[in-house]
Amino acid sequence: MTEAFDILLNASLWAAVLRIATPLIFGVLGALVCERAGVLNLGIEGIMTMGAMAGWLTVYWGGDLWTGLLVAALAGLLLGLLHAVLTVVLGLSQHVSGLGITLFGASLSYYLYRLWVQVGDLPPTIEPFQPLHIPGLSDLPFLGEAVFSQTAPTYLALLLVAVTAWVLARTPLGLALRMTGENPHAVEAQGLNPVAIRIGAVMAGSALMALGGAFLTLAAFNSFFPTMVQGRGWICIALVVFASWRPGKALLGALLFALFDAFQLRLQTTVEGVPYQLFLMAPYVLSILALVLVARRARVPEALMQPYRRGER
Amino acid sequence: MRVERREDISLTALLIAPFAAIAVALALCAGLIAMAGVNPAAAYAEMLRGAFGSRLAVTETLTRAVPLIFTGLAAAVAFRARLWNIGAEGQFYIGALVAAGLGHSLLSGLPAPLAIALVMLASMAGGAALLVGPALMRLRFGVDEVVTTLLLNFIVILFVGLMVEGPLRDPMAFGWPQSVPVAADLRLPDLVPRSRLHIGLILALAVAALVWLVQSRTVFGAETRAAGLNPRAAAFAGVPLTATLVKVALLSGGLAGLAGAVEVLGPAGKVTTTMSPGFGYAGIVVAMLAALHPMGVVAAAVFVATVFVGADAMSRATGVPSFIADVIMSVSLLAMLTALLFTTYRLRR
């Protein structure tokens, strides 16, 4: 018990929480933007993989880290466009299309990586984002290490939570987007184009997802390897439900989840005699439990997963 | 020009769809192969030779098709009822684990055919149990089964890792994490001598025919289809939705579990955490290419197996990364999904 307290009082745990939460924050925001407009995007796992690969490759080929993030976002936009054409324009099954995008994004990433990068015994590495030193704040006791010694993309993720929340709640664009997810016919009646709004939302959301993937290769690690996304995308899909489709709650969910993950990682090294796989299972089990607890009360966007065809009811 | 709904599903379009989808996928992937500096036509010829060029190649391709038939059927029966079972990978591993756990000693006193049947039934029960949970979670709490079945895949594979490094560990494997081998008399007999092809192929074909029969000739089959097409209308017509979905979950999970058992009792002989190169996920592609038809599943499984076995050989010969097989598969899936649109819609001037 005292061991658990020691872990919780250690600033490095809280630094790890923010680090682990960052890709989830990007991913859950992306999924949220898509779903608020009425489109489930199960392509997330493949889009994150593509973002991780595209961002890493850009830097490996001599681009700077911010260009890497930009290229990752562009790759996300393209996969998002593909998902949008299939599900919004053609009105195909969002479940099957999303899974197809995931299989496509992941396999294409692995293929291109193998094609363009010589892999020896160890995967090649890049120089990743370093923790920012913020004068004054980073020197604070405890908080300095726990909160103010993160890499730049982490602060970007936190900023994007605020931006997304503001756009959704306070701007005409956000209102139109939310309305498209609730009642696209009403949007049409207002003289707006629900199809265009959905395409835009899916593309923007997919770009956010890809940034989450790029964080893995450009900040959390320094190399790309297959299966590195490890179900983080699926966890984001669960977190959106947990967050009742609200950006603020999504941030909270990602942080809670990351706290749990960071905590179990540290317990693994202090508790002996328990197979490590049980610790690794915990995040997935937690996601399922969170879904079961919240799903009943969750207010799902009314038109989620319903294709919209003009003049068809 | 506009898109218009057809009055009936076009059978011609349905029959052409998979071939069109595969053609589109191969054409698009030709570009990726050309990027590797290899002539696509030569690469595809190499793939065909790798999959069918020799007696050994043919048996390897068919051996690879066996688990894909089972996981393809698992996806097909579930998708038909709009139960999105993406957990066939996990159900495969549970089936494999149960088969390895029971198969190494417990049942060795029984006559072999009886013991094999019992092992398979137990594996099916394991796979079925793993899907009934998510199905009930959807029915009771409204939890999307796509997410729960996907997350369960990760949990199950970790659990298999725990078992093969712990209770089921093979002490003779020099520290390699694998289970103790299945008793020799429980292994499925070979279908073709001096090959890995086993009678699991016959079983897979029989099960596909059985599923077809059940779907087209029984009340349960009709209820499944009704539940998938329009749940509200089905409920109004007196179809017990909950019971139907649970039965579908049992069948689908059971089929994926059986895939694991057949793989362990057949070519693998033991369970490891890397024994499936994505059989569960590939099953989804197989089911979609088959337009969810059980007999189509057999053909689609052979196609996917051809791509995988052929791509390995082609990769060795030309240096094109073997991940091209996964790309071909995923593009076929997306193309097939689009092609299916034309079975219910048509273009009008």
Side-chain angles (χ1 to χ4, degrees), chain A residues 194-238:
Chain A
V195 170
I197 292 171
R198 280 192 172 171
I199 294 174
V202 173
M203 289 177 73
S206 301
L208 286 170
M209 294 168 179
L211 286 177
F215 178 84
L216 294 175
T217 46
L218 299 183
F221 308 103
N222 56 5
S223 58
F224 175 82
F225 49 92
T227 71
M228 72 182 304
V229 178
Q230 280 290 348
R232 284 183 180 84
W234 311 132
I235 286 166
C236 289
I237 296 288

Side-chain angles (χ1 to χ4, degrees), chain A residues 12-30:
Chain A
S12 77
L13 171 86
W14 296 95
V17 167
L18 271 175
R19 196 165 58 240
I20 294 171
T22 303
L24 299 176
I25 295 171
F26 279 118
V28 75
L29 277 184

Side-chain angles (χ1 to χ4, degrees), chain A residues 40 42 45 82 86 90 92-93 95-97 99-101 103-104 107-108 110-112 114-116 226 230-231 234-235 237-238 275-278 280-281 284-285 287-288 291-292 295-296 305 309 312, chain B residues 5 32-33 35-36 79 84 86 137 139-144 146-148 150-152 154-155 158-159 161-162 165 281 284-285 288 320-324 326-327 329-331 333-334 337-338 341 345:
Chain A
L40 176 71
L42 292 180
E45 188 85 2
L82 181 58
L86 294 173
L90 299 178
L92 300 171
S93 159
H95 277 121
V96 183
S97 169
L99 288 165
I101 300 281
L103 294 176
F104 176 63
S107 59
L108 186 64
Y110 304 156
Y111 179 79
L112 294 177
R114 274 295 157 81
L115 191 62
W116 287 330
Q230 280 290 348
W234 311 132
I235 286 166
I237 296 288
Y276 70 94
Q277 289 97 342
L278 284 183
L280 292 179
M281 272 180 214
Y284 306 111
V285 175
S287 302
I288 294 179
L291 277 178
V292 171
R296 252 286 140 84
M305 286 190 274
R309 286 196 183 89
E312 232 181 64
Chain B
R5 198 182 262 276
L32 290 175
I33 293 172
M35 276 165 62
F79 285 15
W84 302 106
I86 319 299
M137 278 191 258
L139 293 165
R140 282 283 145 77
F141 306 108
V143 179
D144 190 350
V146 170
V147 184
T148 46
L150 274 166
L151 291 170
L152 275 170
F154 290 88
I155 296 172
L158 285 165
F159 183 66
L162 189 157
E165 285 177 28
Y281 301 106
I284 297 167
V285 182
M288 288 304 294
V320 174
S322 60
F323 283 120
I324 194 71
D326 302 85
V327 185
M329 236 175 46
S330 59
V331 179
L333 172 63
L334 292 173
L337 188 61
T338 312
L341 185 74
Y345 285 83

